[in-house]
Structure formats: structure tokens, C-alpha cells
Amino acid sequence: MAISRYFASAAMIAALAFAPVANAKVVDQSEAGFTVAHTAQVAATPADVWKMLRMPQSWWSKDHSWSGDAANFWLDSQAGGCFCEKLPDTGSGVGSVQHARILFSKPNQMLRLSGAFGPLQGEALTGTLTIQIKETPTGSALRFDYVVGGYMRFKIADIAPAVDKVIGEQLLGLANALGGALPPTRDEKAAAEGAEKPKTETRPAKEEPGLGAAVADPVEEEPKATSDER
């Protein structure tokens, strides 16, 4: 879409109310900001997911670009790298946009980016998108968590659902590029239901193949050996 359309916040919010979404919800919101989370299952290995993740031109929607062409996206997946977009020369020279900066990169497991997407870029906001990948019996589970906070001129009650739709659309784009989203298996549903029940001496992240109950940062240290185990 044209830059003027991307920046037309009121029209964008109204249109996004009808955008398709993955398994998602606004997890939390307050006057300080909000959090949205989306999950999906795909029949692709974590390595294949990671490879695709590094090619946003193949899955990030052109409707949420500044140039109107997804081919202008690129992503450097190392810490400090850029998820950026080229703005073609229209007579005044080639331009560019930084959508986000890479904060954390663990191949086949997690990519974390810092950036306020779309019209949020014009506000005094911090946005953190954490993308998790976890191997499952049928392929991989994916989860997008986007946390936004700071000062903005939008009303939280209006912008949070709109951003939720946008993030969900990008997860669906990634899933579709990998062959389409899968429904959870019967075993995964049972595991998810079991993970919702209180457990003792068991980490929920180890029991949830679909990442449905995972926290935003699933990276864990290896258990330290006790004196009895040495």
C-alpha cells in the first residue's frame, strides 16, 4: 500500500477489524500498553521454519508494507540486524524503512525483534515481538508475542485489537508459506489441557507441545546437578 494509506490510522483500524487471524487474543492491556499472542501448528521442521522466518519477503504481508511490494523486505537475523524495507526510487532516490531491530537470535528456536510496526512507528512506543519455534510430533509449533508500551495518541481499546489482527495475519502468512497451518493433534490437545492444571516439580514449557501456555521467553538453563547427583 502507499505510505499515506499505511499512515491513515483511523481507516486502517476499521479495516483491520475484519482481517483473518490465527489462534490469538489480546493477552493483557492497560493505560501503559498491551500484549497480543498468536499460535499455530505447521508440518515443517524447526530448521525449515527458521529458514522461512529469515525471508520476510515470502510471508510478511505486502498490505503491511510502506512500498506495497513484499519483495522489498529483508531481514538480517543476527543480533543488531535489521528487518527493513527498501523504498523504490520514485524520482528522489531510493529510501528505506526499519521495521524492527533484532535483539535475540537462537536458530530454530527463537527470534526477538524490537520495533513499533506501521503507524505505531510515529508514536513514542516500544514494541517487542518474540517469535518462538518448538518441535512437535507433527512438525513445529509457532508462537508470536507482541508487547507494546509507552506513550501514544491512539486509544488502547481501539489500537490493541487492530494490532492483534495484524500480528495474526503475519503468523498466518508464515504458516501458509510453510504449507498451511495444522489443527492440533489429539495428543497435543490433551497435553494442552493437562498443562492448564497445576503441576508440581514440572515445568509447563516441557509439557506444552503447542506453546499455547508458553511464556514470552522459553529459553531455560539446563538443570544444575544437586550434590546427591554428582
Side-chain angles (χ1 to χ4, degrees):
M1 68 172 66
I3 292 177
S4 59
R5 284 187 59 197
Y6 205 159
F7 217 81
S9 57
M12 183 201 72
I13 292 172
L16 290 178
F18 301 98
V21 297
N23 181 21
K25 65 177 179 177
V26 176
V27 175
D28 179 61
Q29 70 179 56
S30 69
E31 294 182 357
F34 59 91
T35 301
V36 302
H38 292 250
T39 61
Q41 304 270 345
V42 293
T45 67
D48 287 338
V49 173
W50 183 258
K51 181 178 179 180
M52 183 62 68
L53 190 60
R54 296 169 61 204
M55 300 187 295
Q57 67 272 23
S58 297
W59 59 273
W60 193 276
S61 174
K62 68 177 183 178
D63 293 332
H64 300 293
S65 70
W66 297 88
S67 66
D69 187 350
N72 291 317
F73 291 126
W74 82 87
L75 187 148
D76 176 359
S77 60
Q78 296 300 311
C82 188
F83 169 28
C84 291
E85 179 183 354
K86 179 180 71 175
L87 299 180
D89 187 355
T90 57
S92 301
V94 176
S96 59
V97 179
Q98 175 181 291
H99 290 275
R101 183 67 60 181
I102 308 303
L103 298 178
F104 191 109
S105 177
K106 190 168 186 180
N108 307 342
Q109 294 186 41
M110 189 173 81
L111 187 68
R112 176 171 290 143
L113 309 90
S114 176
F117 297 115
L120 300 184
Q121 188 182 80
E123 307 302 308
L125 293 171
T126 297
T128 303
L129 174 63
T130 299
I131 301 174
Q132 300 177 63
I133 309 167
K134 186 172 181 180
E135 186 173 11
T136 68
T138 56
S140 298
L142 311 177
R143 176 163 174 148
F144 282 24
D145 287 87
Y146 191 45
V147 183
V148 178
Y151 174 76
M152 73 180 89
R153 292 164 291 182
F154 299 114
K155 293 181 179 180
I156 296 287
D158 292 335
I159 196 66
V163 172
D164 180 57
K165 304 289 187 183
V166 172
I167 297 301
E169 184 178 341
Q170 309 323 308
L171 176 55
L172 281 178
L174 177 59
N176 288 337
L178 291 162
L182 299 175
T185 65
R186 185 175 301 175
D187 289 343
E188 288 169 345
K189 287 181 179 179
E193 292 173 357
E196 295 176 356
K197 299 177 181 179
K199 295 179 180 290
T200 59
E201 300 180 358
T202 302
R203 292 187 175 186
K206 299 295 186 181
E207 297 297 321
E208 177 48 69
L211 287 176
V215 294
D217 190 346
V219 178
E220 302 173 350
E221 295 181 357
E222 291 297 325
K224 296 181 179 179
T226 63
S227 57
D228 294 336
E229 295 174 332
R230 292 172 181 168

